[in-house]
């Protein structure tokens, strides 16, 4: 558990405090946490402020057990949270508290991971997939937890995330990508933007979505199989 107490960074292991140090006394910018063997969970708690130092946090889950290593992000509110997926088990998350031109975003890097549970509040959420030709799926979460949806890819990490207030952007950077929209939590009412990026891409609406503020798809073919698309604004498509 990584959390903050005033000007002090605290790290607890299995409920026991093992690090309690002034941020100003940290002799390095980035904190690296190694999970080693077994199923490890890194919890970052923002309830008493952002605990991530200037250089960020790097988490290596190490050798995994049957359940896999995980990250939980709890008790914070941000303007923009951006997940970038580099491989099936590595990526970054940035936490921007006040948008462009304000305070610099905090950085979390991870590798050797299985799921990410992101229960933070966000005005805007961005998911960028960098793995190449991949299949990305948006759905309601398996446990049907109120307010939580799931995004996953065969070349990216699974993330359970809280619905954003304003915008949800899904971007597949390169390769011929398939983006399957199976559904989402009923609380998702934001403007949804899906960008297929470079390549021959398709977006398949296979299940019903809740009523969205708007929906815009760019750089991808659109296929609508089941359910419907409901928005209180506009539906748009562009291909460059």
């Amino acid at each position: 558990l990584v959390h903050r107490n005033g000007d002090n960074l605290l790290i607890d292991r299995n409920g026991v405090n093992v690090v309690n140090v002034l941020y100003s006394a940290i002799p390095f910018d980035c904190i690296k946490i190694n999970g080693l063997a077994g199923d490890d969970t890194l919890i970052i708690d923002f309830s008493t402020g952002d605990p991530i130092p200037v250089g960020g946090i790097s988490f290596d889950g190490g050798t995994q057990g049957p359940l896999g290593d995980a990250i939980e992000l709890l008790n914070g509110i941000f303007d923009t949270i951006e997940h970038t997926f580099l491989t099936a088990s590595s990526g970054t998350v940035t936490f921007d508290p006040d948008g462009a031109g304000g305070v610099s975003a905090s950085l979390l890097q991870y590798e050797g991971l299985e799921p990410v549970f992101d229960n933070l509040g966000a005005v805007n959420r961005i998911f960028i997939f960098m793995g190449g030709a991949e299949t990305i799926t948006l759905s309601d979460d398996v446990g049907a937890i109120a307010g939580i949806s799931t995004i996953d890819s065969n070349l990216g990490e699974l993330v359970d995330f809280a619905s954003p207030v304003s915008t949800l952007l899904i971007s597949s950077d390169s390769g011929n990508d398939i983006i399957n929209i199976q559904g989402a939590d009923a609380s998702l009412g934001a403007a949804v933007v899906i960008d297929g990026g470079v390549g021959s891409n398709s977006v398949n609406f296979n299940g019903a979505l809740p009523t969205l503020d708007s929906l815009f798809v760019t750089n991808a073919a659109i296929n609508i199989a089941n359910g419907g698309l409901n928005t209180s604004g506009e539906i748009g498509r562009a291909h460059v």
Side-chain angles (χ1 to χ4, degrees):
L1 170 65
V2 178
H3 55 124
R4 184 181 191 123
N5 183 10
D7 293 328
N8 285 49
L9 167 70
L10 283 73
I11 301 178
D12 301 342
R13 181 176 183 270
N14 296 331
V16 178
N17 180 250
V18 293
V19 174
N20 187 340
V21 62
L22 284 166
Y23 281 92
S24 60
I26 297 175
F28 40 80
D29 287 334
C30 179
I31 294 176
K32 185 170 181 62
I33 300 173
N34 294 314
L36 302 178
D39 294 324
D40 305 300
T41 299
L42 173 65
I43 302 172
I44 303 180
D45 186 351
F46 294 83
S47 60
T48 54
D50 187 346
I52 300 176
V54 173
I57 291 177
S58 176
F59 177 53
D60 186 343
T63 304
Q64 300 180 18
L67 299 178
D69 303 311
I71 288 176
E72 295 183 10
L73 307 170
L74 307 174
N75 303 320
I77 299 176
F78 293 88
D79 179 87
T80 302
I81 298 175
E82 180 175 312
H83 291 256
T84 300
F85 306 94
L86 304 176
T87 71
S89 60
S90 68
T92 65
V93 189
T94 59
F95 311 91
D96 187 343
D98 53 3
V103 175
S104 297
S106 298
L107 171 66
L108 168 65
Q109 305 174 70
Y110 62 83
E111 59 181 311
L113 205 64
E114 288 292 334
V116 176
F117 181 70
D118 179 355
N119 197 29
L120 300 171
V123 178
N124 308 294
R125 284 192 173 277
I126 301 173
F127 296 97
I128 301 175
F129 294 85
M130 305 285 289
E134 56 192 305
T135 299
I136 301 160
T137 302
L138 174 69
S139 62
D140 198 359
D141 68 298
V142 172
I145 300 172
I148 302 296
S149 298
T150 297
I151 194 163
D152 194 10
S153 166
N154 61 320
L155 298 178
E157 193 53 78
L158 180 149
V159 178
D160 289 332
F161 65 94
S163 296
V165 174
S166 182
T167 305
L168 171 64
L169 169 62
I170 301 170
S171 175
S172 57
D173 184 69
S174 62
N176 299 329
D177 302 304
I178 299 171
I179 302 173
N180 292 320
I181 308 300
Q182 303 297 119
D185 187 81
S187 64
L188 181 63
V192 175
V193 179
I194 303 172
D195 181 7
V198 178
S200 178
N201 310 295
S202 62
V203 178
N204 303 315
F205 292 93
N206 300 320
L209 285 169
T211 299
L212 305 174
D213 179 71
S214 62
L215 172 65
F216 191 78
V217 177
T218 183
N219 297 315
I222 298 174
N223 302 300
I224 301 175
N226 298 304
L229 303 177
N230 301 309
T231 81
S232 58
E234 63 178 358
I235 297 176
R237 177 183 180 271
H239 184 78
V240 179

